[in-house]
Amino acid sequence: GGTRNGIGQLSGETAGGKERNTAGEPERSTEREDSTQATGAAANTKVKREEPSGKEAIKKRHKESLSKRSEGGDRTSPIVECAVLLSELALQGVRTLAFCRWRSLVELVLVHCRQVLKQWKAEDLLSKILSYRGGYSAEERRRIEKKIFKGDALAVTCTNALELGIDIGTLDSVMLLGFPGSVASMLQQFGRAGRSEREALCFLIAQRSPVDQYLVTHAD
């Protein structure tokens, strides 16, 4: 299946906004008019929706989460960017693998992701956020693999231990925290999603290393 590569954050549109103008009719706003009565007379009051909903709300949370974690206007930590994006995908039910180059990064992304979900009042998803890396017992690895295969895991932070040779079923998205060292490895990891002729959403979140920065400025 086709695979779309992307660098950055999800975008989406809510069902709100202005309705399409048809048959020459004037456009109508989604602002709703509530009719209230005061002292026997009717008074029309326009009430605007202050809080966004759906994907717009997720985008707002993403922006707020990143801005709170940035310092001095510099770019937010790639680890936090990865965790926030992973949380967004989990909220939308997108099954995702997040490949990290080192075991320590696997655990850091997992911790930050769970913190973000708690901040977003999505504690019910915490049990569906897992990690997978070398150092776990064989029994623990089999348990996690089974959860991924059955679809019980929405997001998994992992090392390249999940890159080859393990059947984990069909996934929707893959993100890489840092360039894995070779184009072949990058494509192998991206290939974990979008099997059986399904499309997939893939991200490369560049770290601050010279190689990563060169790649994102010379993507072609």
Side-chain angles (χ1 to χ4, degrees):
T3 300
R4 300 195 302 270
N5 295 342
I7 301 174
Q9 66 185 48
L10 292 181
S11 62
E13 297 179 358
T14 60
K18 293 185 176 179
E19 299 181 77
R20 188 178 59 181
N21 187 17
T22 58
E25 296 179 356
E27 292 182 340
R28 292 175 296 172
S29 171
T30 55
E31 295 174 354
R32 55 188 176 88
E33 297 185 358
D34 293 341
S35 178
T36 60
Q37 291 188 352
T39 63
N44 292 330
T45 305
K46 289 186 177 181
V47 180
K48 293 186 177 181
R49 296 178 181 176
E50 298 295 340
E51 292 298 328
S53 60
K55 291 183 179 180
E56 186 177 335
I58 294 175
K59 287 171 62 180
K60 179 181 178 182
R61 286 194 297 267
H62 186 180
K63 183 177 180 181
E64 290 175 350
S65 296
L66 293 182
S67 63
K68 288 179 181 178
R69 289 168 171 81
S70 61
E71 297 178 1
D74 294 334
R75 177 194 172 188
T76 305
S77 163
I79 297 172
V80 175
E81 288 183 354
C82 181
V84 173
L85 182 55
L86 192 60
S87 301
E88 288 183 1
L89 293 170
L91 278 173
Q92 298 185 56
V94 180
R95 298 178 60 215
T96 307
L97 285 184
F99 282 99
C100 306
R101 297 190 65 182
W102 303 289
R103 296 180 184 181
S104 59
L105 288 181
V106 169
E107 301 302 330
L108 282 172
V109 173
L110 177 68
V111 169
H112 281 293
C113 184
R114 287 177 172 172
Q115 288 177 346
V116 171
L117 289 173
K118 287 179 181 178
Q119 176 187 335
W120 292 351
K121 309 300 183 185
E123 290 87 351
D124 56 310
L125 296 180
L126 296 181
S127 62
K128 296 180 179 292
I129 313 300
L130 309 175
S131 62
Y132 186 101
R133 58 174 177 78
Y136 292 167
S137 67
E139 180 181 353
E140 180 70 6
R141 290 199 301 271
R142 300 294 89 78
R143 184 186 67 81
I144 297 172
E145 291 164 13
K146 186 176 181 180
K147 276 193 168 186
I148 301 172
F149 185 83
K150 291 173 62 178
D152 293 336
L154 277 176
V156 181
T157 62
C158 60
T159 60
N160 59 3
L162 272 182
E163 182 177 324
L164 292 169
I166 301 174
D167 186 4
I168 53 175
T170 303
L171 298 171
D172 304 309
S173 179
V174 169
M175 66 178 68
L176 276 56
L177 178 55
F179 181 64
S182 70
V183 173
S185 183
M186 179 179 70
L187 295 178
Q188 185 67 50
Q189 293 177 10
F190 280 159
R192 271 308 200 175
R195 299 187 176 187
S196 302
E197 298 185 357
R198 292 180 54 179
E199 290 190 342
L201 184 62
C202 299
F203 298 88
L204 171 61
I205 300 177
Q207 294 185 302
R208 294 187 173 93
S209 71
V211 173
D212 284 34
Q213 293 303 307
Y214 178 85
L215 284 173
V216 296
T217 54
H218 301 78
D220 53 349

